Amino acid sequence: MKETFRAVMSMYDSYNGTGMQMALFFACLVYLLVQKKEKEKRYLFAGYTLLFFILCFCPVTAKLIMECIGGEVYWRMFWLLPAAAGTGYTAARVLMQAEGKAKRYLLLTVMLAVIVLTGTNVYNGTIFHRKQNWYKLPQDTVDICNIIEQDAAEHGITRKKLVTVNDLITTVRQYDAGILMPYGNEVIKGNRAETENASQIFRIMSGDTKNWEALLWYLSMEACNYFAYPADEATTDLLVSQGLSKVGSNASYSVFRNDTDKEAYDGEWLITQYGDKDGVQLMFYTMQDSKGHLIVVDGGWVTDADYVRQVIKALGGRVDAWIVTHPHRDHAGAFTEIYKNPGKIKIDKVYAVDMALPQLCLERAPWDETEVYEEWLKLTIPQLTYVHRGDTFTVEGLAFEVFNAYDDYVGRLSNDLLNDGSMMFKVTAKKESMLFCADVGDDMSDYLLETYGDALQADYIQMGHHGNGGLKSGFYKSIGAKAAFFDAPDWLMNGRDKRFSTMKNTYLMTQEGAAVYSFSTTPNQIILK
């Protein structure tokens, strides 16, 4: 009820504006109440207004009304207030009671001055604009649509689907219904797009910074063959270098044609890192290809299960392979929860590490926790495959190579069995690769470098143990990655506590020329070519 009342008050504050016009209306109501000859008008104006405020501000009735008309438009209820009628009627009564023309004209002048001084001019540039064309639409909309129609005619394109800035979405469809769009004004208002690809396009287009590589992926997945964006030489050069063709421009916008279809991405994978910048550390990645195949890595805590479900369902509901790097609660919690009750989610394969028993893990590292691990051991997973160091496997053409997984050698090098026994693996697409270090730490660094050497090198790296602690600097330097993924929220990335080495590792990877991604900008995405 408190939330409902706060929502009503917030809407009233917005309607009230400076408060001067409502103050004038209330002053008029007081005047009518004290006038003996205005008994009927008291009931009409003062009584109605009192009844309105009781119904409108009472949390019970307000909630009922919101359920009927929708909470997002409840502010329209204030249109029912007789503010203009009450103020106008009172002004007319005051003028009629004044004696003499001079007095009436003086009162009228004062009233008009009060209205002007306490009101807001509605004829301003934020509401009304000088028309730019006969259609009374932004000229940018007209220009963009004409450029697209001309280019489509020249190249025999009959199906035109455009992505542009949100401000032009409604007017493009008004001007040219022959140009399709992946989403409309309803998505801007908060409703979900028809497809996940369209939702992701809207997310990127609504952000302050753009992941152009991911955007172009989604354009092709959604079969959007035109793109219009504010004209900027650097952005234009970047988009052309990414494969778009510039087909025209006006003073404000450049228009591009996208000739890349989804088949061109065959064998490439979109890798997405998820996380909460203000929350806790966790590890959750998805890998998806242009054919709809999906691979999930870990998933985070038990409390992340509902979110992971939503992501998987949005991406088709079928997991071709789920990789669980190790049974710590911030890695395997969501999986154990989902696997108990998968619902409509289908999981074809599960890959995990045959970890030391919980008793041994706690014996070697008494500070550790095995709650989720014990839940994992209770599961019966017929599609489970345990992997060991040196194993290789493929999932829909994506190659996996396992460099680390719990075995006796881990126990000889470390007491931190759950972390140092986690699965370190490399995924390789057509030309590029990414190394996932899971929670493997310092004690394993030298061994892994000596054992595998250059085979560890990759284009991208997921930092060991969320970038805090983890592997030695020499290990990270040897990888040669052009981007590093830290599975860490802001408090851990920027923590100045000497126990945290995240800032040190961030500086190290930056010095090595790698882009740094963390939860502050998730979802972070790269295309593994």
Side-chain angles (χ1 to χ4, degrees):
M1 291 300 175
K2 289 182 179 180
E3 291 182 3
T4 302
F5 183 73
R6 281 198 295 266
V8 175
M9 285 301 301
S10 176
M11 294 179 196
Y12 175 71
D13 288 341
S14 297
Y15 171 82
N16 198 18
T18 63
M20 298 303 296
Q21 293 295 306
M22 287 301 294
L24 185 61
F25 172 53
F26 290 137
C28 292
L29 292 180
V30 172
Y31 173 84
L32 293 175
L33 286 172
V34 300
Q35 291 295 307
K36 295 180 179 180
K37 296 181 179 180
E38 299 294 334
K39 185 176 180 181
E40 293 181 358
K41 303 305 181 293
R42 292 181 205 172
Y43 296 135
L44 178 62
F45 289 113
Y48 172 83
T49 301
L50 178 62
L51 179 62
F52 171 85
F53 273 95
I54 292 174
L55 293 175
C56 190
F57 284 86
C58 174
V60 176
T61 53
K63 189 171 181 63
L64 290 173
I65 296 171
M66 286 182 184
E67 290 178 356
C68 293
I69 68 173
E72 68 279 1
V73 295
Y74 189 76
W75 56 271
R76 293 178 180 171
M77 287 290 293
F78 295 106
W79 291 352
L80 299 177
L81 277 171
T87 303
Y89 175 80
T90 304
R93 292 297 302 170
V94 171
L95 288 172
M96 289 173 63
Q97 292 175 6
E99 297 179 358
K101 288 186 178 180
K103 199 171 185 178
R104 288 180 182 177
Y105 282 124
L106 179 60
L107 279 173
L108 179 60
T109 302
V110 171
M111 290 176 181
L112 291 174
V114 170
I115 292 173
V116 170
L117 294 174
T118 60
T120 302
N121 179 19
V122 298
Y123 297 99
N124 58 67
T126 61
I127 300 176
F128 293 92
H129 304 273
R130 184 180 295 276
K131 69 177 184 179
Q132 297 174 304
N133 49 62
W134 289 110
Y135 307 102
K136 297 182 181 179
L137 296 172
Q139 188 60 39
D140 290 328
T141 296
V142 177
D143 292 343
I144 289 170
C145 292
N146 289 342
I147 291 170
I148 291 173
E149 291 293 358
Q150 181 178 345
D151 182 76
E154 292 175 356
H155 293 84
I157 299 172
T158 57
R159 184 182 181 277
K160 299 146 291 188
K161 195 169 185 179
L162 168 69
V163 169
T164 188
V165 296
N166 296 337
D167 291 344
L168 298 181
I169 285 176
T170 302
T171 54
V172 165
R173 292 291 290 165
Q174 287 177 319
Y175 180 73
D176 191 338
I179 296 178
L180 305 175
M181 308 189 86
Y183 53 85
N185 198 43
E186 74 284 350
V187 176
I188 297 175
K189 292 180 179 178
N191 296 316
R192 189 161 184 82
E194 291 184 5
T195 69
E196 178 61 16
N197 291 328
S199 294
Q200 294 299 327
I201 292 172
F202 174 69
R203 174 184 63 80
I204 296 174
M205 291 300 295
S206 301
D208 294 331
T209 58
K210 302 287 187 290
N211 183 333
W212 295 113
E213 189 175 52
L215 178 63
L216 297 183
W217 163 283
Y218 288 120
L219 293 185
S220 297
M221 297 305 113
E222 193 64 16
C224 298
N225 50 1
Y226 285 98
F227 181 64
Y229 198 72
D232 173 78
E233 186 175 348
T235 302
T236 296
D237 291 343
L238 187 151
L239 292 174
V240 170
S241 71
Q242 293 281 338
L244 296 187
S245 302
K246 182 178 177 181
V247 297
S249 64
N250 67 0
S252 303
Y253 286 84
S254 294
V255 182
F256 305 85
R257 187 179 64 251
N258 176 31
D259 295 318
T260 305
D261 57 22
K262 63 190 300 183
E263 283 72 25
Y265 285 98
D266 188 29
E268 299 181 4
W269 291 75
L270 179 70
I271 299 181
T272 304
Q273 175 198 38
Y274 304 87
D276 180 358
K277 68 177 181 178
D278 297 319
V280 294
Q281 64 185 40
L282 61 95
M283 183 167 163
F284 175 31
Y285 289 80
T286 60
M287 308 179 196
Q288 56 187 120
D289 70 357
S290 60
K291 298 178 181 178
H293 297 120
L294 175 64
I295 300 169
V296 177
V297 179
D298 286 349
W301 303 69
V302 168
T303 51
D304 296 314
D306 287 343
Y307 176 66
V308 175
R309 285 181 192 274
Q310 291 173 12
V311 171
I312 292 173
K313 288 178 180 178
L315 296 179
R318 187 182 195 93
V319 180
D320 293 273
W322 197 318
I323 296 170
V324 181
T325 62
H326 64 295
H328 261 151
R329 54 188 176 181
D330 55 332
H331 292 256
F335 172 86
T336 58
E337 193 70 11
I338 292 172
Y339 200 84
K340 292 175 187 176
N341 182 24
K344 294 183 179 180
I345 293 175
K346 304 298 181 184
I347 304 172
D348 292 345
K349 287 280 189 179
V350 178
Y351 294 93
V353 171
D354 192 6
M355 186 59 68
L357 291 175
Q359 299 91 320
L360 179 58
C361 292
L362 292 175
E363 181 182 321
R364 297 288 292 270
W367 63 85
D368 214 338
E369 55 80 23
T370 58
E371 177 184 346
V372 166
Y373 184 13
E374 290 166 7
E375 290 299 311
W376 162 274
L377 292 175
K378 294 176 185 177
L379 298 175
T380 300
I381 311 174
Q383 64 270 57
L384 171 63
T385 298
Y386 281 124
V387 299
H388 304 84
R389 62 170 179 153
D391 284 353
T392 60
F393 58 94
T394 60
V395 179
E396 299 300 334
L398 187 64
F400 288 74
E401 185 176 4
V402 180
F403 294 119
N404 188 71
Y406 176 76
D407 211 329
D408 291 343
Y409 74 95
V410 175
R412 292 194 296 269
L413 295 169
S414 170
N415 285 324
D416 193 359
L417 303 184
L418 275 168
N419 283 327
D420 287 340
S422 58
M423 190 193 311
M424 178 186 287
F425 62 93
K426 183 164 75 172
V427 292
T428 304
K430 294 190 294 186
K431 297 183 293 184
E432 293 183 328
S433 60
M434 180 168 176
L435 181 67
F436 286 81
C437 298
D439 276 0
V440 179
D442 182 283
D443 291 336
M444 306 302 296
S445 295
D446 294 337
Y447 171 82
L448 292 168
L449 273 177
E450 292 170 4
T451 304
Y452 297 106
D454 292 345
L456 293 165
Q457 293 179 358
D459 297 281
Y460 305 94
I461 185 171
Q462 176 262 323
M463 302 291 285
H465 203 259
H466 312 272
N468 177 36
L471 296 146
K472 291 181 178 179
S473 58
F475 180 93
Y476 290 131
K477 289 180 180 179
S478 72
I479 304 304
K482 58 186 177 183
F485 289 80
F486 287 71
D487 299 304
D490 286 354
W491 64 263
L492 182 55
M493 289 296 293
N494 305 317
R496 299 188 180 279
D497 191 315
K498 292 183 178 180
R499 294 174 300 166
F500 304 146
S501 59
T502 327
M503 289 185 69
K504 174 186 172 183
N505 285 328
T506 300
Y507 179 76
L508 167 69
M509 298 310 294
T510 302
Q511 289 296 104
E512 291 297 305
V516 171
Y517 300 114
S518 71
F519 288 178
S520 65
T521 53
T522 50
N524 296 310
Q525 298 177 303
I526 55 99
I527 295 177
L528 199 66
K529 296 181 173 63

